[in-house]
């Protein structure tokens, strides 16, 4: 099996305006509202945009930047920006229906509407990080939470979700099976589903999830060195919510000057690769489990489709082995950069870039040259600490200590 496959998106239109089809999914004003709300939460801090000049030189580009989400709200991934924000919006809408006033997160945290919050049950399906985010949001805002997981989800990820007080149900089959199971149960019980994907039947909550994710892109835009626009972005795409949110925000801000955007997925569950090259949503079936657990999805989110359909310039799929290689490269800081803890799914974009950077034909296909300024999103740290240790050969805490020492020496 090839280490990677890369193809241009036949429907890509880099000169197209960010129009009504895209705004109906991800609206700029809604993104600003989400930023104001989430940034008011206890513990909020922008995550770092880490320069990797040594690795940039080794891969023949001018600049390589890594958005490190490992410290987000202490949950180890970018997911609280979406799942917890959607939980807040769900409870706030219920309060507004009863109290005729749409509360802020601070008002919910004060306990002013605790009786209404307690009457609500939120639920979701997850491969790990989304469920942890929804459970964290439910605990923070005071409602009940039920999370469905697939057979392949590790015990450590299950326990991390349960630690926030959620009831965790292991469902037979894959992530996609868990999505269907929780939706069916929610319809019977009157629960509020907070999914990070959509088949078109549920819109509002997954839109809130994606809108929250866009805060990450907004931070990056504010953090760019001297306002320099990247030439290329490599974005991991499971169901597509994160990729769509980041693509949308860069599209809104930079229009046709936005970066060339490439989605990255594991070979065995490359639903966006198959869908965008076919020109319509394609379901990938069979054994779709991957070491990149958060990307083990066989069906694209229909909500993300209007953004990624024309906003993505190229699609790629990669072998599972490239993820641990990228994890070790970051941890070992082979080229003299700051060490970084990157989880299995979180390094997929970096792994995709590394694969392309080492192949002249692939570089030419997407116009990546020595003046390239590349950004990748490290969407998780060691959210499964034992798996991280197994794949990297040492614990994440040891790598963080090395990073702290590197920063101290640099100051």
């Amino acid at each position: 099996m090839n280490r990677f496959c890369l193809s241009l998106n036949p429907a890509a239109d880099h000169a197209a305006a960010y129009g009504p089809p895209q705004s109906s999914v991800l609206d700029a004003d809604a993104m600003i509202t989400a930023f104001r709300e989430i940034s008011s939460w206890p513990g909020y801090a922008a995550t770092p945009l880490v320069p990797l000049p040594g690795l940039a030189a080794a891969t023949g580009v001018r600049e390589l930047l890594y958005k490190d989400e490992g410290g987000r709200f202490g949950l180890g991934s970018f997911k609280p920006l979406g799942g917890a924000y959607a939980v807040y919006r769900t409870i706030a809408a219920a309060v507004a229906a009863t109290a005729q006033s749409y509360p802020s997160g601070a008002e919910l945290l004060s306990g002013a509407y605790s009786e209404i919050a307690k009457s609500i049950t939120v639920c979701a399906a997850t491969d790990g990080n989304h469920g942890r985010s929804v459970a964290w949001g439910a605990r923070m805002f005071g409602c009940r939470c039920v999370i469905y997981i697939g057979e392949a989800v590790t015990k450590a990820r299950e326990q991390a979700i349960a630690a926030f007080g959620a009831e965790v149900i292991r469902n037979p089959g894959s992530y996609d099976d868990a999505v269907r199971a929780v939706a069916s149960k929610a319809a019977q019980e009157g629960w509020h589903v907070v999914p990070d994907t959509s088949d078109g039947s549920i819109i509002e909550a997954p839109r809130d999830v994606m809108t929250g994710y866009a805060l990450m892109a907004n931070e990056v835009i504010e953090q760019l060195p001297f306002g320099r626009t990247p030439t290329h972005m490599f974005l991991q795409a499971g169901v597509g919510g994160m990729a769509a949110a980041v693509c949308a925000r860069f599209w809104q801000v930079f229009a046709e000057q936005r970066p060339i955007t490439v989605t990255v997925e594991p070979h065995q569950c490359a639903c966006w690769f198959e869908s965008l090259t076919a020109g319509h949503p394609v379901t990938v079936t069979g054994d779709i489990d991957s070491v990149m657990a958060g990307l083990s999805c066989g069906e694209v989110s229909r909500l993300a489709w209007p953004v990624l359909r024309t906003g993505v310039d190229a699609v790629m799929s990669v072998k599972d082995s490239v993820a641990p290689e990228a994890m070790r490269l970051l941890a070992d800081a082979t080229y003299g950069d700051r060490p970084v803890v990157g989880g299995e799914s979180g390094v997929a974009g970096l792994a995709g870039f590394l694969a392309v950077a080492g192949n002249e034909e692939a570089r030419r296909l997407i116009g990546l040259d020595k003046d390239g300024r590349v950004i990748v999103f490290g969407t998780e740290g060691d959210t499964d600490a034992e798996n991280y240790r197994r794949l990297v050969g040492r614990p994440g805490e040891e790598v963080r200590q090395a990073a702290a020492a590197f920063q101290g020496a640099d100051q």
Side-chain angles (χ1 to χ4, degrees):
M1 182 185 293
N2 294 332
R3 284 177 60 80
F4 74 96
C5 297
L6 176 69
S7 178
L8 295 178
N9 174 15
D13 189 350
H14 209 76
Y18 191 85
Q22 292 78 35
S23 292
S24 68
V25 177
L26 288 162
D27 174 72
D29 289 341
M31 290 179 181
I32 292 171
T33 298
F35 176 81
R36 288 173 177 163
E37 173 56 43
I38 296 169
S39 62
S40 74
W41 293 353
Y44 169 78
T47 54
L49 185 62
V50 182
L52 301 173
L55 186 53
T59 52
V61 296
R62 184 177 297 277
E63 189 170 55
L64 176 60
L65 301 171
Y66 183 95
K67 178 64 165 170
D68 182 8
E69 288 291 299
R72 181 72 72 181
F73 283 116
L75 269 71
S77 84
F78 77 109
K79 288 288 188 175
L81 299 176
Y85 179 64
V87 170
Y88 154 71
R89 294 269 295 173
T90 298
I91 299 173
V95 170
T98 302
Q100 307 302 313
S101 174
Y102 200 95
S104 66
E107 288 175 298
L108 294 183
L109 290 172
S110 75
Y113 301 100
S114 60
E115 290 306 310
I116 295 176
K118 288 176 184 176
S119 70
I120 293 170
T121 297
V122 295
C123 60
T126 187
D127 276 326
N129 290 336
H130 177 65
R132 189 186 297 195
S133 167
V134 172
W136 177 72
R139 187 180 74 171
M140 180 165 60
F141 293 115
C143 69
R144 180 181 175 228
C145 181
V146 180
I147 300 295
Y148 276 53
I149 60 175
E151 289 177 326
V153 175
T154 65
K155 192 68 176 177
R157 292 185 184 277
E158 177 183 356
Q159 291 170 343
I161 297 167
F164 290 106
E167 178 185 350
V168 183
I169 297 173
R170 189 174 290 271
N171 187 71
S174 68
Y175 164 78
D176 299 304
D177 294 321
V179 169
R180 286 184 282 270
V182 76
S184 175
K185 186 66 173 177
Q188 296 173 23
E189 300 290 340
W191 298 345
H192 296 262
V193 185
V194 181
D196 60 354
T197 186
S198 175
D199 62 1
S201 61
I202 300 175
I203 298 296
E204 190 166 349
R207 182 191 287 128
D208 288 338
V209 169
M210 292 166 61
T211 301
Y213 289 165
L215 181 147
M216 179 174 59
N218 213 61
E219 287 180 353
V220 166
I221 291 167
E222 294 178 352
Q223 292 168 326
L224 288 173
F226 308 110
R228 294 196 298 269
T229 308
T231 61
H232 294 76
M233 290 195 301
F234 290 77
L235 303 173
Q236 46 269 39
V239 295
M242 184 280 289
V246 172
C247 177
R249 191 60 185 144
F250 273 81
W251 194 347
Q252 290 167 356
V253 173
F254 296 108
E256 71 275 6
Q257 299 302 314
R258 68 188 186 278
I260 297 293
T261 302
V262 183
T263 57
V264 184
E265 303 165 277
H267 279 324
Q268 63 271 35
C269 45
C271 53
W272 280 101
F273 186 102
E274 298 296 336
S275 298
L276 290 178
T277 53
H280 58 84
V282 173
T283 298
V284 175
T285 59
D287 184 3
I288 62 172
D289 291 335
S290 168
V291 69
M292 295 167 269
L295 308 182
S296 296
C297 312
E299 300 177 29
V300 303
S301 171
R302 301 302 177 102
L303 198 58
W305 183 259
V307 175
L308 297 184
R309 175 78 172 99
T310 52
V312 165
D313 298 282
V315 289
M316 69 182 298
S317 65
V318 296
K319 285 184 69 173
D320 265 17
S321 60
V322 303
E325 290 170 6
M327 294 167 69
R328 291 189 287 270
L329 185 65
L330 284 174
D332 296 342
T334 307
Y335 298 100
D337 297 318
R338 170 189 146 185
V340 178
V341 176
E344 309 92 285
S345 302
V347 301
L350 174 63
F353 159 69
L354 294 172
V356 168
N359 184 290
E360 286 303 319
E361 183 180 351
R363 292 181 71 122
R364 283 194 296 273
L365 187 66
I366 63 169
L368 180 65
D369 58 25
K370 61 181 177 59
D371 292 319
R373 297 187 301 276
V374 180
I375 183 165
V376 295
F377 288 75
T379 48
E380 69 171 356
D382 55 338
T383 52
D384 186 330
E386 186 53 43
N387 204 39
Y388 181 89
R389 180 200 289 264
R390 181 179 64 82
L391 293 172
V392 174
R394 54 196 174 117
E397 187 54 40
E398 184 178 313
V399 179
R400 281 185 284 271
Q401 290 172 0
F406 178 92
Q407 286 183 291
D410 195 47
Q411 290 173 352

